[in-house]
Amino acid sequence: MLIDTSVWLDLAKDRRGQRWIVPMRGFSHQRKLNLLVPQLVIDEFDRNRPRVEATVTARVRERFQLLRHDLHEYGGDGYRVWLEEMTHHIPLLSALTLQNFHEIGELLDNGYRLEPTSLDYERVVKRGLDKRAPLHLQKNSVADALLIEMYATARRQGDPENEYCFVTSNHQDFSTPNGDRREPHPDLAELFDQRKSSYFYGIDGLNEALEGYFGDEFIEEADETESLHRDPRTLTEILEAENEFYNVISHERKIISAEREAAARGESVPPDVAKRLAASTRALQERYGADNVGPWDDWGWGFVHGKLSALRWALGSDWDFLDT
């Protein structure tokens, strides 16, 4: 499968991009899918990546700024609380979207590198002289012409039993003019017999190609990937969880401290202290559930401390800050 830079960039910008990125990574590792990657695709992706990343980030920021303006103008105190939540939430959503760029970069780096041959260059020149697609327009499409010639060479030199596909969203250079973009330009039709070599357009075409070849295996993997997608926790959720673990750990430490002090005196915990601790235990059990309040064994004790440390780190504290 040779995927044009235009489709890789579309995938990178798509919040659902993981639906296709994750299965392709898995199939590649299993050697069920061979991604054909010319160096010019890597170069184009890297050259356009900062611009597209900035566009994605700016789009999220602009939408948030417009919303913030409207809420300040027309919203009450309740909306302002929600706005504080979104101030924390939006950068995380933007970061998750930018994750696609990193993972696509890895797919490209790990793909099968195609190198242009002297015959590829000769055929590009011939296309230009004949004004055949993708050199049929008044623009510089030499890189696109080289791309399609490298695909043609890979197909000719590859195992005749393999199935090949070319995926692009550059309809001006590759698709039939003023017609169905899912069909290749007539000048390129000879490269795609729809049996061992197929032409696909855009992300929908990529989905069609993967579903057509891998069937239920791709559908199940894609659906599972999408179902595992979770938006990041809100600031309120993180604060509530941190407060819960602070309360239960602090309470258990008070019990341990009271028992140690009594043991040092050779006595039991004073009845009034024991009564207060028992009442506090019941209150915490009613609030958080009996299973979420101590006492814990050594493993459980360390586990709840680890949760508190992680939550505090997310809120800006240093790792291992466990004071109560």
Side-chain angles (χ1 to χ4, degrees), residues 98-279:
L98 296 182
Q99 177 185 356
N100 291 349
F101 289 88
H102 172 72
E103 296 188 9
I104 288 173
E106 290 184 340
L107 281 174
L108 293 175
D109 288 340
N110 294 326
Y112 179 79
R113 194 62 51 83
L114 292 184
E115 299 293 342
T117 67
S118 57
L119 284 176
D120 291 333
Y121 287 115
E122 289 178 16
R123 292 190 178 100
V124 168
V125 173
K126 184 70 165 56
R127 280 188 181 275
L129 293 173
D130 296 341
K131 296 193 179 301
R132 299 172 64 227
L135 295 174
H136 59 299
L137 302 172
Q138 298 299 319
K139 67 187 189 78
N140 184 358
S141 297
V142 172
D144 297 305
L146 184 58
L147 191 69
I148 201 68
E149 291 299 346
M150 293 171 72
Y151 172 79
T153 297
R155 182 193 170 199
R156 283 193 300 267
Q157 296 180 350
D159 188 330
E161 296 302 314
N162 288 342
E163 293 186 29
Y164 292 81
C165 63
F166 181 83
V167 189
T168 184
S169 58
N170 181 357
H171 63 90
Q172 288 186 330
D173 287 329
F174 295 115
S175 294
T176 185
N178 303 316
D180 190 343
R181 295 179 179 181
R182 297 171 297 177
E183 297 295 330
H185 192 284
D187 292 346
L188 305 173
E190 62 183 1
L191 299 176
F192 305 105
D193 57 18
Q194 301 303 320
R195 291 182 294 108
K196 293 297 183 180
S197 177
S198 302
Y199 180 87
F200 294 97
Y201 180 75
I203 293 179
D204 288 342
L206 175 63
N207 187 84
E208 181 184 350
L210 293 170
E211 187 173 330
Y213 185 81
F214 293 103
D216 290 342
E217 186 178 5
F218 164 70
I219 294 173
E220 291 172 4
E221 181 72 18
D223 289 345
E224 181 180 354
T225 298
E226 204 159 42
S227 69
L228 291 175
H229 172 77
R230 297 289 185 273
D231 285 337
R233 303 289 184 188
T234 65
L235 181 59
T236 295
E237 289 176 307
I238 296 174
L239 288 170
E240 288 177 349
E242 190 274 339
N243 188 59
E244 174 183 344
F245 286 103
Y246 170 86
N247 287 337
V248 296
I249 289 173
S250 177
H251 173 66
E252 188 64 21
R253 287 178 177 176
K254 290 176 182 177
I255 294 176
I256 293 171
S257 178
E259 290 175 346
R260 285 178 177 174
E261 290 178 4
R265 298 192 302 268
E267 303 172 354
S268 59
V269 177
D272 59 328
V273 175
K275 185 177 180 180
R276 287 198 303 272
L277 291 173

Side-chain angles (χ1 to χ4, degrees), residues 31-42:
R31 299 187 182 280
K32 296 178 180 179
L33 172 66
N34 196 359
L35 291 173
L36 305 177
V37 184
Q39 182 62 44
L40 66 88
V41 169
I42 294 177

